[in-house]
Amino acid sequence: MDVVFSEKDEEEHKWAEKGYYPACKKVHVFSIVIPAYNEEDRIEPTLMNLRREFQGEQVIVIFDGNDHTPDVCRKYGVEVHVYGKRLGKGGALIEGIRESRGSIIAFIDADMPVSIESFKKVVEASADSDLVITQRIYEKNMTGSRLILHDLFTNLTKVILPELKEFHDHQSGLKVMKADRAKAILEELIMSDFLIDTNLILAFMKRGFKVKEIPVQWRHTEAGSKVSKNLFKVIMLDALSLIKLRFYYSPFKAVLNTRLYNRAQAFFQKILR
């Protein structure tokens, strides 16, 4: 992994290489994490808004692609962690938690599908909760097929994981959490794909942490969407991941470590990816 520092932190980073860590030890109240796989065309307005509204706070971009996203990020003085291998959304979220230095961690998609006002509302809601998730209220630009599949998958999640039946949306990209709670459940985050959001909610609930859901207006951008390009494959992979999560939180957890299961998982992943 390569870490790209902003120009502002370059001098401190030189000292860090010699064994001093002023850049790494800087304490932030708030860390904003953005998973970014080839987002050079969508991420700039997001960084512009975040830098304007949250000056002095830690903004982390977890990049595992092969385009010029790091160059765009460098213009706005944000912290970029560059990985030479594909992490997946789950891997990016996990790395974001590890690299955060704030007491509060927020995750947001690279295209910032909510207004700054809605974003702040979610952050404020974390004052009395360990994890705040969001129920996406889609604007009219959402395609009918995406809406239908979203509803189907939400219902499937409630059938396989009835512990989550009280929530309306298990995969929203906007969430805010207490950093100490998030780091406490890191070992339970076993999903590297889009189901990491569901994995996170379930892990918090199993520990007895407080989870709150609030609705937000959601602006869907079809152009550049990684999900829309492979919608059927994403749904199938997510369904298999739901089954994996069910086994993980059951008396049959050991099945996940068997050779038969691992071979079957590798087979389906090869076909669907």
Side-chain angles (χ1 to χ4, degrees):
M1 180 196 79
D2 297 322
V3 181
V4 180
F5 286 86
S6 67
E7 291 181 7
K8 180 180 178 181
D9 291 333
E10 282 295 340
E11 190 62 35
E12 292 184 20
H13 182 48
K14 291 175 184 177
W15 287 101
E17 288 179 326
K18 297 177 182 178
Y20 302 97
Y21 300 94
C24 299
K25 292 296 183 180
K26 183 178 179 181
V27 176
H28 296 266
V29 173
F30 192 35
S31 294
I32 304 171
V33 180
I34 307 172
Y37 175 73
N38 294 348
E39 296 286 0
E40 63 178 353
D41 294 329
R42 304 202 304 171
I43 200 171
E44 188 161 10
T46 299
L47 298 177
M48 191 182 304
N49 285 330
L50 293 177
R51 269 309 185 204
R52 183 180 64 245
E53 299 291 335
F54 300 99
Q55 294 182 21
E57 300 298 353
Q58 183 187 25
V59 178
I60 312 171
V61 175
I62 303 295
F63 175 72
D64 60 343
N66 51 24
D67 71 352
H68 297 290
T69 297
D71 296 329
V72 177
C73 295
R74 209 175 282 122
K75 291 162 52 180
Y76 293 91
V78 302
E79 189 175 317
V80 188
H81 293 260
V82 180
Y83 293 79
K85 63 177 181 179
R86 187 79 170 96
L87 297 176
K89 182 181 180 181
L93 187 149
I94 291 167
E95 291 303 317
I97 292 173
R98 286 176 177 155
E99 299 297 340
S100 65
R101 300 192 295 277
S103 57
I104 300 294
I105 306 173
F107 280 86
I108 187 65
D109 294 338
D111 61 341
M112 191 79 175
V114 299
S115 66
I116 283 291
E117 290 71 24
S118 292
F119 185 82
K120 289 180 177 179
K121 181 178 74 171
V122 180
V123 173
E124 290 168 2
S126 68
D128 61 351
S129 298
D130 297 309
L131 170 65
V132 181
I133 62 174
T134 51
Q135 178 190 0
R136 293 167 288 184
I137 308 300
Y138 289 106
E139 296 181 357
K140 294 181 180 180
N141 58 347
M142 184 66 167
T143 61
S145 59
R146 284 285 298 262
L147 281 173
I148 292 171
L149 288 171
H150 168 74
D151 290 341
L152 286 173
F153 190 77
T154 298
N155 290 324
L156 179 62
T157 299
K158 292 179 180 181
V159 170
I160 297 177
L161 300 170
E163 302 97 316
L164 303 182
K165 63 183 179 181
E166 66 181 279
F167 301 115
H168 302 87
D169 194 341
H170 310 103
Q171 290 187 291
S172 174
L174 171 58
K175 59 189 69 65
V176 179
M177 66 204 77
K178 299 283 190 348
D180 59 341
R181 300 299 204 193
K183 292 177 180 180
I185 53 91
L186 268 177
E187 290 187 1
E188 297 176 41
L189 300 181
I190 61 172
M191 311 309 304
S192 62
D193 54 21
F194 288 98
L195 212 75
I196 185 65
D197 303 300
T198 307
N199 188 177
L200 185 76
I201 301 168
L202 198 55
F204 267 71
M205 291 192 67
K206 291 295 185 179
R207 290 291 191 96
F209 299 156
K210 185 177 180 180
V211 180
K212 178 193 294 185
E213 181 180 44
I214 63 174
V216 294
Q217 289 293 321
W218 198 269
R219 180 179 58 256
H220 175 68
T221 303
E222 193 69 19
S225 171
K226 308 299 185 299
V227 174
S228 294
K229 292 178 181 177
N230 302 283
L231 193 55
F232 175 75
K233 291 182 178 181
V234 169
I235 292 295
M236 292 302 296
L237 283 168
D238 282 356
L240 292 172
S241 294
L242 276 176
I243 296 171
K244 182 177 181 178
L245 267 182
R246 179 70 284 161
F247 271 105
Y248 184 80
Y249 288 104
S250 79
F252 307 103
K253 179 180 177 180
V255 170
L256 301 178
N257 297 320
T258 63
R259 181 179 299 179
L260 178 61
Y261 175 84
N262 288 323
R263 290 179 66 180
Q265 177 178 251
F267 172 76
F268 284 112
Q269 287 179 341
K270 184 177 180 180
I271 291 176
L272 294 172
R273 286 176 177 168

